[in-house]
Amino acid sequence: MYVVESKAGAIGCMLLALLFLGTWPAILTLLERRGRLPQHTYLDYSITNLLAAVLIALTFGQIGDGKPNTPNFITQLYQDNWPCVLFAMAGGVFLSLGNLATQYAWAFVGLSVTEVITASITVVIGTTLNYFLDDRINKAEILFPGVACFLIAVLLGSAVHSSNGTDNKAKLSSYTDEKGAIEISESKNVYKYTDGNKDLEDGNVSVEKAEVGTADFLIELENKRAIKVFGKSTLIGLGITFFAGFCFSLFSPAFNLATNDQWDTMKEGVPHLVVYTAFFYFSVSCFTIAIILNITFLYYPVLNLPRSSLKAYVNDWNGRNWALLAGLVCGFGNGLQFMGGQAAGYAAADAVQALPLVSTFWGILLFGEYRKSSKKTYVLLVSMLLMFIVAVGILMASSGHRKT
């Protein structure tokens, strides 16, 4: 079994995880903006997300001969380690709920702000829990100033969203009636706004593509995307975002308990779960929850999404390759985060929550987020990203070394 033992190796795993975990949300956001139902996308994503865990377990978890205290993956499947298996599965449940919630939060709040808020909540709560679970192997005088920086990033992220929302309202002011509802003339050469319960294909196609960042672009996007956000309170998006952040803050501490058994739940003489076995069970429960909830949402959709079916999902190949890729990218990202955390401490591994740096890059490059926004929004956005960079540097500097 391959084990990451050096601090340099752990930081390398974290940096790769940062790249992967910041990229897959952009892929799913791209599909939602093209009109693919999030239930269809997440079902595809869940399949390859589990596949990534199986591949990691059968490769890294099976390299070389196992030792009595660190048995190989397949050997450990037959041991009496169910108390820690349940902790790993609980972590998978939290991650699945968090990922599911962010699918809808991206539509309301935007990719950049959603990732900033959820990541920062994860660090503030999850890193604190991991610090004490890991017997304080990370340097508290460095770690907690980093946590404070993430908390400041949460506040700045909320301010960015509020300022950008005000900018968008100003852009759309010429399209609103006296009651504030969007009213679009067919002569404006943009997509006509339709009710979310109608077919995704409804609407009049624009003659000329709208310029990114303009009101026409926002309306055109609204008609193409799967989740309609016009006329809905921004509090809905922020509420979903904070719920996702709370779920994300618990999955890493649960995984920490699964691999290190700080509460002494295992029978004497039974080795702790190795990171690959724990990640396998973690991913199995994540997959199970995702399948149950998304199949339910096919027939009983939320947020006025169109109703679908298993047959419609199976026949929906529009963007399926991207959804499958997103699952693989996320799966390998999570695996690398846990490999690094087992070596350097899970509190330090939460530095991968700097994924908004990557997500914001994709959000600006692919989706034109914040294009033609106000100077106030730009100042807040830059401040938010700078605070993230500082927080990540501080958090990685707190890395310790777990005694084996």
Side-chain angles (χ1 to χ4, degrees):
M1 180 181 67
Y2 176 75
V3 178
V4 179
E5 295 181 331
S6 68
K7 185 183 293 188
I11 291 176
C13 287
M14 294 177 202
L15 291 174
L16 276 175
L18 172 61
L19 175 63
F20 290 162
L21 293 176
T23 298
W24 74 268
I27 299 174
L28 296 194
T29 301
L30 178 65
L31 294 177
E32 186 276 323
R33 285 174 170 240
R34 289 180 175 179
R36 194 168 198 252
L37 291 177
Q39 305 98 304
H40 292 187
T41 297
Y42 202 71
L43 285 169
D44 289 334
Y45 155 92
S46 300
I47 294 170
T48 48
N49 188 252
L50 176 61
L51 177 61
V54 173
L55 290 174
I56 290 174
L58 293 177
T59 52
F60 292 120
Q62 285 295 121
I63 294 175
D65 297 326
K67 299 177 182 179
N69 61 331
T70 54
N72 285 344
F73 165 66
I74 293 179
T75 300
Q76 199 159 50
L77 291 178
Y78 298 96
Q79 294 178 340
D80 185 12
N81 45 32
W82 278 103
C84 285
V85 166
L86 292 177
F87 280 123
M89 297 183 78
V93 171
F94 287 126
L95 180 64
S96 187
L97 291 175
N99 283 342
L100 185 62
T102 54
Q103 281 193 111
Y104 299 95
W106 292 329
F108 286 92
V109 186
L111 177 62
S112 303
V113 174
T114 298
E115 296 304 310
V116 166
I117 293 177
T118 56
S120 299
I121 294 173
T122 301
V123 169
V124 172
I125 300 176
T127 301
T128 303
L129 293 175
N130 278 322
Y131 170 74
F132 290 104
L133 286 174
D134 277 338
D135 198 23
R136 307 179 184 184
I137 66 174
N138 300 102
K139 302 172 184 176
E141 65 275 14
I142 300 177
L143 178 71
F144 286 106
V147 172
C149 290
F150 270 98
L151 181 58
I152 295 172
V154 171
L155 301 177
L156 288 171
S158 298
V160 171
H161 171 62
S162 176
S163 180
N164 195 51
T166 301
D167 294 342
N168 288 339
K169 285 183 180 179
K171 295 173 185 177
L172 293 166
S173 59
S174 61
Y175 292 91
T176 57
D177 58 20
E178 295 180 355
K179 297 181 180 179
I182 301 297
E183 201 175 61
I184 304 168
S185 169
E186 294 184 26
S187 63
K188 291 190 179 285
N189 290 332
V190 294
Y191 284 81
K192 185 179 180 182
Y193 180 66
T194 57
D195 185 82
N197 291 316
K198 295 181 181 179
D199 292 338
L200 297 177
E201 292 81 9
D202 285 353
N204 299 321
V205 180
S206 62
V207 176
E208 296 180 1
K209 190 173 182 179
E211 184 181 357
V212 175
T214 63
D216 287 356
F217 174 80
L218 294 174
I219 296 169
E220 184 176 307
L221 172 63
E222 177 76 1
N223 280 274
K224 287 191 294 184
R225 72 189 319 161
I227 303 174
K228 305 300 182 185
V229 299
F230 281 2
K232 293 185 174 66
S233 171
T234 56
L235 292 177
I236 295 176
L238 288 176
I240 296 172
T241 302
F242 277 91
F243 171 76
F246 177 75
C247 291
F248 286 146
S249 69
L250 297 178
F251 83 82
S252 181
F255 194 91
N256 193 347
L257 285 167
T259 54
N260 297 297
D261 193 28
Q262 291 92 336
W263 292 351
D264 297 323
T265 59
M266 299 273 274
K267 293 180 181 179
E268 188 175 351
V270 179
H272 292 171
L273 285 183
V274 298
V275 66
Y276 307 109
T277 309
F279 186 44
F280 170 75
Y281 285 114
F282 174 94
S283 299
V284 167
S285 67
C286 189
F287 172 80
T288 303
I289 294 298
I291 293 300
I292 293 173
L293 290 179
N294 279 283
I295 289 179
T296 301
F297 290 158
L298 287 177
Y299 297 94
Y300 303 97
V302 296
L303 299 176
N304 293 325
L305 282 166
R307 187 176 180 183
S308 186
S309 65
L310 274 175
K311 181 179 179 181
Y313 158 68
V314 171
N315 293 327
D316 181 11
W317 288 90
N318 180 27
R320 171 158 286 159
N321 55 331
W322 288 106
L324 295 173
L325 176 63
L328 282 175
V329 170
C330 181
F332 281 109
N334 285 328
L336 287 165
Q337 175 187 353
F338 295 143
M339 290 165 65
Q342 189 63 20
Y346 287 97
D350 282 336
V352 303
Q353 296 304 324
L355 57 94
L357 292 173
V358 181
S359 295
T360 299
F361 169 77
W362 291 121
I364 295 173
L365 182 66
L366 295 179
F367 312 133
E369 287 190 354
Y370 309 113
R371 195 74 59 85
K372 295 185 180 297
S373 292
S374 64
K375 290 183 179 179
K376 177 184 177 182
T377 299
Y378 289 140
V379 169
L380 289 170
L381 178 64
V382 171
S383 300
M384 177 187 76
L385 294 177
L386 287 176
M387 187 57 64
F388 248 104
I389 293 172
V390 171
V392 172
I394 294 175
L395 219 60
M396 283 196 173
S398 74
S399 295
H401 188 270
R402 190 184 305 279
K403 296 179 181 179
T404 58

